Amino acid sequence: MTQQTSFDIMKSRNERQILKVIKEFKQISRADIAEKTGLSPATVTNIVNDLIESKLIKESKRGESKGGRRPVFLKLNGEFTKVVGIEWGIHSIKYAVVNLEGKIEMQGKKSIENLSLGNFLKLTKQITDLIFHNIDPVLVKGIGIGIHGVVDPQKGISKFAPHFHWNNKDVLTKLNKIYDIPITIDNDVRMMARAERWHKKKNFIYINTGRGIGSAVVLNNRLIYGQDFLAGEIGHIIVKEDGPKCSCGNRGCLEAMLARENLIEYADQIFDIKINSWNKLTNIINSKEKNIEQILNYISKYLGIAIVNLINLLNPSEIIIGGDFLDIKDKLKPYLTSFVVENSLNKYEETSPIEFTDYNKIAGAVGAAFSILEKYFYTEEEI
Ligand SMILES: [Zn+2]
């Protein structure tokens, strides 16, 4: 079956609905699908037959009888549908291969020094060659790529990538010359948010920490882009009047306070030794050798101010943090949680407002892969 016909099959809304129910319940009978979707049993039977034929689902074990024959369960078939996700970062390109069930089958990274678009394309080709060496290319149904900076996913353009020194690069056209399967591109943090949305999270803000600080906002299951694709630039929320100068020209932006290098500089002042590296700083924070309260309070206060403002504005169910702060999550979480709970209107009596991603540092690549997989389960209007 060609790539095109495989995507044509997905066009029907009913098919997506059925796949979505199977994804949600992991395994489910035809009768229960009819009940959950409201489709007639005959329609379900027909569509299920098509989906089995196109190898997107398969029959698994039999369920319990509700009087009559024991029903056959259906489940997603990850064997024949794989997607590739890639994150173009400042120091490395990370990649993951994910199957239709959302399972990661391969992952890795390649370091990069020359940040030209040509070099990213060259290294990406090397990565996909390696993947196609291990996985039959016919099974790979698309590639998603997350890119640092401001991205127009519809036109496929990297509008502005400050760390790469790119302006208006037509990335998608170049990728389409190399690959003949569907490609999606988007901002790296929006891709990370897709990794969480896969697990049915619908209202949340994903904050990525590290050399820069960015976020992605998901409300009612939709990613928010804003007028110029700039929504979520949490790094440039001003959290300290007359604070340190930021790369954007303002003073006291969150990024100017808490981006990796700025935090190391602050730590140099409070511990009387030269810290130099993020590893050294995280080792200190994770050990009990020094008085680490001051730095944890500092991070929690300024990150907390930004988070509280977002919570009061958007009322998300949770804030999910990824990136470098994962290295200190056990120490940071109680400090940050108490600052946020104390200062926001929502008291979060039943759930924690602060979570850390389970995808560790591969979230961008996995989420980029999900940007392709989502097309099997959702219509454009739904996401
Ligand atoms: Zn700024």
Side-chain angles (χ1 to χ4, degrees):
M1 185 184 300
T2 66
Q3 305 294 343
Q4 194 48 47
T5 51
S6 143
F7 264 95
D8 284 346
I9 283 168
M10 293 298 96
K11 277 183 188 151
S12 143
R13 201 182 157 78
N14 291 347
E15 283 170 344
R16 284 198 180 91
Q17 225 184 325
I18 289 175
L19 282 174
K20 217 178 343 180
V21 169
I22 299 174
K23 170 177 176 280
E24 187 174 338
F25 290 88
K26 296 215 165 59
Q27 39 186 18
I28 184 167
S29 68
R30 287 170 176 80
D32 286 343
I33 291 173
E35 194 193 307
K36 304 280 177 209
T37 57
L39 296 169
S40 74
T43 305
V44 170
T45 300
N46 284 337
I47 295 176
V48 160
N49 286 345
D50 286 350
L51 292 173
I52 290 175
E53 200 184 315
S54 58
K55 295 180 176 164
L56 290 168
I57 62 172
K58 60 183 176 188
E59 292 185 330
S60 71
K61 61 182 188 190
R62 283 181 182 272
E64 292 298 312
S65 167
K66 291 175 183 168
R69 278 196 308 156
R70 292 169 66 201
V72 177
F73 277 143
L74 298 160
K75 65 190 295 271
L76 294 177
N77 186 354
E79 230 175 300
F80 296 94
T81 302
K82 328 264 180 196
V83 292
V84 174
I86 296 178
E87 181 190 346
W88 288 356
I90 300 162
H91 290 276
S92 65
I93 300 182
K94 293 178 186 162
Y95 62 92
V97 178
V98 175
N99 73 19
L100 186 69
E101 295 166 73
K103 289 201 184 109
I104 301 170
E105 296 193 343
M106 240 180 116
Q107 59 173 293
K109 71 173 181 178
K110 211 175 175 61
S111 45
I112 185 159
E113 280 166 21
N114 167 356
L115 299 173
S116 68
L117 175 55
N119 200 39
F120 271 102
L121 294 170
K122 192 177 100 189
L123 295 187
T124 299
K125 178 75 171 56
Q126 288 174 10
I127 287 169
T128 50
D129 284 348
L130 171 78
I131 291 168
F132 295 154
H133 186 73
N134 288 279
I135 292 171
D136 183 353
V138 173
L139 306 180
V140 177
K141 309 300 182 189
I143 303 172
I145 298 185
I147 306 171
H148 134 78
V150 184
V151 175
D152 176 344
Q154 264 109 40
K155 292 200 180 116
I157 291 171
S158 161
K159 291 172 73 77
F160 177 51
H163 289 285
F164 300 166
H165 305 290
W166 294 1
N167 272 298
N168 289 319
K169 296 271 186 197
D170 189 350
V171 177
L172 191 60
T173 302
K174 293 213 160 53
L175 287 164
N176 282 334
K177 282 186 185 145
I178 304 172
Y179 301 100
D180 61 359
I181 50 178
I183 309 270
T184 56
I185 72 163
D186 205 343
N187 163 268
D188 52 356
V189 190
R190 290 206 176 92
M191 289 302 195
M192 293 170 196
R194 284 182 167 93
E196 308 298 327
R197 185 167 65 177
W198 180 262
H199 299 281
K200 294 199 290 175
K201 292 179 179 166
K202 289 188 165 67
N203 288 292
F204 63 93
I205 298 165
Y206 190 102
I207 300 179
N208 187 43
T209 56
R211 287 188 166 79
I213 297 181
S215 79
V217 178
V218 174
L219 291 178
N220 298 327
N221 215 31
R222 299 191 76 118
L223 279 157
I224 305 300
Y225 286 86
Q227 176 72 28
D228 300 305
F229 308 98
L230 282 165
E233 285 291 345
I234 189 184
H236 302 285
I237 286 182
I238 295 168
V239 291
K240 187 171 193 246
E241 197 190 3
D242 297 328
K245 190 130 200 212
C246 181
S247 59
C248 73
N250 288 331
R251 284 191 170 276
C253 294
L254 183 62
E255 192 166 293
M257 310 283 294
L258 299 186
R260 177 199 276 228
E261 305 309 325
N262 304 322
L263 202 54
I264 291 171
E265 221 170 89
Y266 173 76
D268 276 345
Q269 295 162 22
I270 61 166
F271 305 124
D272 350 297
I273 48 162
K274 197 99 183 107
I275 302 283
N276 288 329
S277 77
W278 178 249
N279 269 355
K280 197 165 171 191
L281 178 57
T282 57
N283 283 341
I284 290 174
I285 292 175
N286 286 319
S287 71
K288 289 191 174 116
E289 284 167 33
K290 301 251 172 205
N291 178 7
I292 55 166
E293 271 206 354
Q294 191 178 344
I295 195 155
L296 290 171
N297 278 326
Y298 177 84
I299 298 172
S300 300
K301 177 177 172 186
Y302 293 110
L303 183 56
I305 288 172
I307 288 175
V308 166
N309 283 329
L310 289 178
I311 285 178
N312 288 345
L313 188 67
L314 300 170
N315 186 211
S317 63
E318 65 194 317
I319 305 288
I320 301 166
I321 297 175
D324 281 352
F325 284 173
L326 288 166
D327 299 333
I328 52 168
K329 66 176 180 181
D330 294 336
K331 285 281 164 35
L332 180 60
K333 188 174 173 177
Y335 285 81
L336 184 59
T337 303
S338 78
F339 183 93
V340 169
V341 170
E342 255 168 53
N343 291 286
S344 63
L345 291 177
N346 186 339
K347 291 303 168 207
Y348 290 95
E349 274 147 10
E350 281 167 25
T351 55
S352 166
I354 307 292
E355 293 298 339
F356 287 81
T357 181
D358 289 332
Y359 282 107
N360 212 340
K361 298 197 178 164
I362 199 76
V366 173
F370 287 158
S371 73
I372 300 284
L373 278 193
E374 282 174 341
K375 297 178 199 295
Y376 288 84
F377 301 92
Y378 300 103
T379 60
E380 297 262 310
E381 302 78 60
E382 285 176 300
I383 52 173

